[in-house]
Each structure stands twice: as structure tokens, then as C-alpha cells.
Amino acid sequence: MTTRGASPEGADPLREAQDRFVAVWGQMAGAWGISRTMAEVHALLYISGEPLCTDDIMERLDISRGNASMSLRALLDWGIVERAHKRGDRKEYFNCEQDVWTMFRAIVRERIKREVDPLLASLFEIRDLTPESKVPGAATHNERLDALVDFFSTVEKLGHRFVSPPGRGLQLAASLLGSFVGASSRPAPTEGKP
Amino acid sequence: MTTRGASPEGADPLREAQDRFVAVWGQMAGAWGISRTMAEVHALLYISGEPLCTDDIMERLDISRGNASMSLRALLDWGIVERAHKRGDRKEYFNCEQDVWTMFRAIVRERIKREVDPLLASLFEIRDLTPESKVPGAATHNERLDALVDFFSTVEKLGHRFVSPPGRGLQLAASLLGSFVGASSRPAPTEGKP
DNA sequence: TCGAACTTTCAAAATATTCTGAAAGCGATG
DNA sequence: CATCGCTTTCAGAATATTTTGAAAGTTCGA
């Protein structure tokens, strides 16, 4: 169906842009430690901006029902997609959080919980394996562990600070740091970046 | 064979703690988008605090020469491990950056370069597919893209600010935000820690 | 209580990533 | 300039992750 018609109406540029966005977002997935499909589902819900049902997603992304279901479940767990319903329709629809800052606050919250907190717990345990009184040679080893503990404690506190208020955590941090953000101030739009 | 002098037990607590740390750090790897082995090699170099050669790493981690070589190369590319040499020894040794803040600055620098910058470039391209003059229905679509562009532009600027100075970027941000960081303040470590 | 309309689950299949080991490469030394 | 000691490369093997699809589960209306 995507065969380009010679007429100006042949291609749908909006659809095309959406597909590009879905692909780009999907590529990021690896770096973020989630599956490509999960990222694509999220991308589709975000960029289309309206509630979609499982079948919409299956068809648009060409994935199986099971895959769509599991990806949606994971997105719900992350708190960046929510269920929605249409009157007189038994199907479930899904809606992506549309405020970017709220979305990333949810992501940060979840990653702290899943990654930073367990890591800190492990670091404490590991440090307790080598009390200097019992393990004389462990001084520098313990210092190295402490340095990591300090670092991740800071990250955790900063994260909570970013996550908890309804306000603009990161933006606030940014302006406090002296950079004025808020206008997108992009480089030349048409062609690629330096 | 690890029997060290008068130690009553065969166990070496320091070695054990190192192994635990290597395992824990390795588990984080998935979430960070790097391979488990690469993270383990890094963990070993960090926690042992001294230069190790390829054979040390192979033996300690029980991995092949090829794997060790590739992981080390990747760590060098990330700029968190450096080559070292011992006099009268032809082997190459490897040294991990020992300052945690410097280490994470390198990581942030690299991730911005590899993930954020290309993403921003793609977002600009995608937005240019749907100028409102040519694609009347694209207004909200473009707004959604702009919201992401703004967000990642902010992230990029903040990142550079954290990365560039030799000082304590994140710590500074943290204290400006009003949280007092620096003491690790967590479940009581068995050993007294200031 | 039944059955239609959906959703979720999960074992097996498909796919992607990581690891190995042997061979090729490299550069210092005799 | 041949050899030695060490490092890097890469095709194929091993392993891990992701996806599918069909069956089981759930919910709602009559």
C-alpha cells in the first residue's frame, strides 16, 4: 500500500513522519535497556497522541497480539501509558502520557527504584564483608566502595528531588546552573547537524 | 592454593568482596546498554585499583582472550580505562579511572555523543517532513516533536555543563537544589563511617 | 449460567547478542 | 630479517532475549 503514487496525494507525510519517529525511538531502546518493540509501542502512542487499541497497534507495528499485550503491560508498569475506554466499546484503549516532563519523571522514578536502590543495597552489603578490623588490607578497597556509595547516594537524592515535585525539576536545575533553557534554540532546521 | 600464611580459613574475604562487586556491577550492565563482560572487566579494574594485564583479567573472570581484548578496547573507547606499562615487561596493563566523578563524567560525555546528539538530529529531520504549510493536519504532531526536542536539548546542555568543568558538576547541582549531599547517610554500615 | 468479546499467558521458535579460539597482525629484539 | 611475545580480529558456536500463536482466562450483558 505504500507504493508512492505519482499524484501529490499518493504518500501521507504525517504517517511517514510517524513511522520515522517510531523507528528512531525504537533504536534508542537498546541503549535504554528496554526492548525495541516496547519502545516502538510507546513511540506510536506518544506521536499519534490519541488512544489506540491493541489491534491498532498490532496492525500498525506488524507485531503479534502477545507481543503487543506484553509491551503494553510493561509500559503500564512504568507508568507512562494508561488505560482508556470509549463509550459503547468493550475494547481497551491506551493513552500515552503527553507531557514530556511528566513522562521522564516517571521513567527516572522507576529507574531509581529498579537500578539505583538495589545497587546501593548491594554496595552496603559488600562493604560489610570487609570491616577493617577483620580484614587489615581492605582500607583502600573500602574507600573505593565508599566513593561509589557516595556517588549513587547523590544520584538517588537528586533523582528524588527531580521526581517528587509537580514542577520542573530538571529545568530548575538547568537554570540554577546558569544556562537558560526553555526556548528550543535549534540549529539550522533543514539540514543535518554539525 | 590461595592459602595465605596463617589464615585459619581458606577463604579470602577481600577476594570474595571483589567477586561480589564484579557480579553486582555486571548485573547493572543490561540496564546500561553494555555487555555484562565489559562491565565486569571494568568492575575488576576499578575495585582492584591496580593495573592488570589481559591474562590477569582472563584468569580472574574466566573469559577468553578475544573477549577480554574486545572488552578492554571498548572501555578504552569510553575513556574510563587507560593503558599502562611496567618497566621491563612487554605486556600491556590496564588501569581504571579511580575518581568516580571523573569516571561518570566520561560516561555522560560519551552517552550524550552516542545517544542524545543523534536523536536530536533525527528529531529535527523528522519535524522537517511535516512543515505546517504543506501538511495542514500536522500542528499537534509538530508540537509533540518540539516538546521532545526541547527536553533533549535541555538534557544535552545540562550534560555538557556537568561534563566540561573539572569540578563537581552534579554535586554542585545537588546543593543548589537544596539537598545536602556528601555524607552517605544510609542503613548503618557495621564499620563506623563518618 | 452461558457465550461473545477481549486480554493475558507461556512454551516453543525466531532472532539477536555475546563469546570463543585459532589465525593473522604488529613491533621490538637478537 | 627471522623470531618471539604479545595483541587484535572474526567466523562460527554458544547463549540470551524477543516474538509468536494458540489456548486459557476474564468480564460483561442478557
Side-chain angles (χ1 to χ4, degrees), chain B residues 126-128 130-132 135 138-147:
Chain B
I126 293 170
R127 192 178 47 188
D128 290 346
T130 54
E132 250 181 272
V135 189
T140 58
H141 167 92
N142 286 340
E143 273 164 29
R144 283 189 284 268
L145 288 177
D146 283 340

Side-chain angles (χ1 to χ4, degrees), chain A residues 21 24-25 28 32, chain B residues 112-126 148-149 152:
Chain A
F21 176 71
V24 164
W25 206 245
M28 296 270 298
W32 283 79
Chain B
I112 288 177
K113 192 167 73 191
R114 298 177 189 206
E115 293 158 31
V116 179
D117 289 347
L119 175 64
L120 274 171
S122 295
L123 289 177
F124 286 125
E125 274 183 40
I126 293 170
L148 285 179
V149 165
F152 284 105

Side-chain angles (χ1 to χ4, degrees), chain A:
Chain A
M1 274 311 178
T2 44
T3 34
R4 62 206 74 141
S7 74
E9 302 297 328
D12 176 350
L14 187 55
R15 170 68 58 115
E16 224 172 277
Q18 290 181 336
D19 287 347
R20 278 284 305 280
F21 176 71
V22 166
V24 164
W25 206 245
Q27 305 234 270
M28 296 270 298
W32 283 79
I34 63 174
S35 86
R36 188 175 45 77
T37 302
M38 184 177 154
E40 288 184 350
V41 171
H42 176 245
L44 179 59
L45 286 170
Y46 175 76
I47 203 62
S48 62
E50 62 182 356
L52 299 178
C53 70
T54 307
D55 295 85
D56 295 334
I57 293 166
M58 287 167 58
E59 192 210 324
R60 188 73 186 273
L61 261 32
D62 194 22
I63 61 176
S64 72
R65 186 170 299 282
N67 197 2
S69 175
M70 287 177 124
S71 297
L72 284 166
R73 156 77 87 109
L75 290 168
L76 289 168
D77 286 349
W78 276 80
I80 53 183
V81 161
E82 58 185 12
R83 294 175 204 273
H85 295 277
K86 286 188 178 171
R87 282 171 174 278
D89 190 340
R90 226 143 110 227
K91 275 204 280 287
E92 274 193 315
Y93 286 74
F94 298 89
N95 227 340
C96 180
E97 169 62 55
Q98 288 289 318
D99 181 85
V100 175
W101 289 88
T102 302
M103 194 163 94
F104 282 97
R105 274 206 305 281
I107 290 171
V108 168
R109 181 187 305 119
E110 212 56 27
R111 294 198 70 158
I112 287 178
K113 192 166 73 190
R114 297 177 190 205
E115 292 157 31
V116 179
D117 290 347
L119 175 64
L120 274 171
S122 295
L123 289 177
F124 286 123
E125 273 184 43
I126 293 171
R127 190 177 50 186
D128 290 347
L129 294 176
T130 55
E132 250 181 89
S133 50
K134 294 207 61 175
V135 189
T140 57
H141 167 91
N142 287 340
E143 273 163 30
R144 284 189 283 269
L145 288 177
D146 283 340
L148 284 180
V149 165
D150 287 349
F151 179 82
F152 283 105
S153 295
T154 300
V155 168
E156 207 229 20
K157 282 177 195 155
L158 256 189
H160 277 134
R161 206 154 276 272
F162 170 63
V163 156
S164 51
R168 295 278 137 103
L170 241 199
Q171 280 184 335
L172 177 61
S175 48
L176 282 174
L177 280 166
S179 76
F180 286 91
V181 291
S184 81
S185 79
R186 66 224 228 222
T190 311
E191 211 50 51
K193 273 200 66 189

Side-chain angles (χ1 to χ4, degrees), chain B residues 78-92:
Chain B
W78 275 80
I80 54 181
V81 161
E82 58 185 11
R83 295 177 204 272
H85 295 277
K86 287 190 177 171
R87 293 218 285 166
D89 190 339
R90 261 227 350 262
K91 275 203 282 285
E92 274 193 316

Side-chain angles (χ1 to χ4, degrees), chain B:
Chain B
M1 51 179 79
T2 45
T3 31
R4 186 109 299 249
S7 284
E9 301 298 323
D12 177 347
L14 187 54
R15 169 69 58 114
E16 224 171 277
Q18 289 180 335
D19 287 347
R20 279 284 305 281
F21 177 71
V22 166
V24 164
W25 207 244
Q27 305 234 268
M28 295 270 298
W32 283 79
I34 64 172
S35 86
R36 189 173 45 77
T37 301
M38 184 177 156
E40 288 185 350
V41 171
H42 176 245
L44 179 60
L45 287 170
Y46 175 76
I47 202 62
S48 61
E50 61 183 357
L52 299 178
C53 70
T54 307
D55 294 85
D56 295 334
I57 293 167
M58 286 167 60
E59 194 209 324
R60 188 73 186 273
L61 260 31
D62 194 21
I63 59 175
S64 72
R65 186 171 299 282
N67 197 2
S69 175
M70 288 179 121
S71 296
L72 285 167
R73 155 75 87 110
L75 289 168
L76 291 168
D77 287 347
W78 275 80
I80 54 181
V81 161
E82 58 185 11
R83 295 177 204 272
H85 295 277
K86 287 190 177 171
R87 293 218 285 166
D89 190 339
R90 261 227 350 262
K91 275 203 282 285
E92 274 193 316
Y93 286 74
F94 298 89
N95 227 340
C96 179
E97 169 62 56
Q98 288 289 318
D99 181 86
V100 175
W101 289 88
T102 303
M103 193 163 93
F104 281 96
R105 273 206 305 280
I107 290 171
V108 168
R109 181 187 306 118
E110 211 56 26
R111 294 197 69 157
I112 288 177
K113 192 167 73 191
R114 298 177 189 206
E115 293 158 31
V116 179
D117 289 347
L119 175 64
L120 274 171
S122 295
L123 289 177
F124 286 125
E125 274 183 40
I126 293 170
R127 192 178 47 188
D128 290 346
L129 295 176
T130 54
E132 250 181 272
S133 50
K134 294 209 61 178
V135 189
T140 58
H141 167 92
N142 286 340
E143 273 164 29
R144 283 189 284 268
L145 288 177
D146 283 340
L148 285 179
V149 165
D150 286 350
F151 180 82
F152 284 105
S153 294
T154 300
V155 167
E156 207 229 19
K157 281 177 196 156
L158 256 188
H160 278 133
R161 205 154 277 272
F162 170 62
V163 156
S164 51
R168 294 282 138 102
L170 241 198
Q171 279 184 334
L172 176 61
S175 49
L176 281 174
L177 280 166
S179 76
F180 287 91
V181 291
S184 69
S185 88
R186 254 284 159 137
T190 43
E191 193 78 354
K193 212 225 144 205

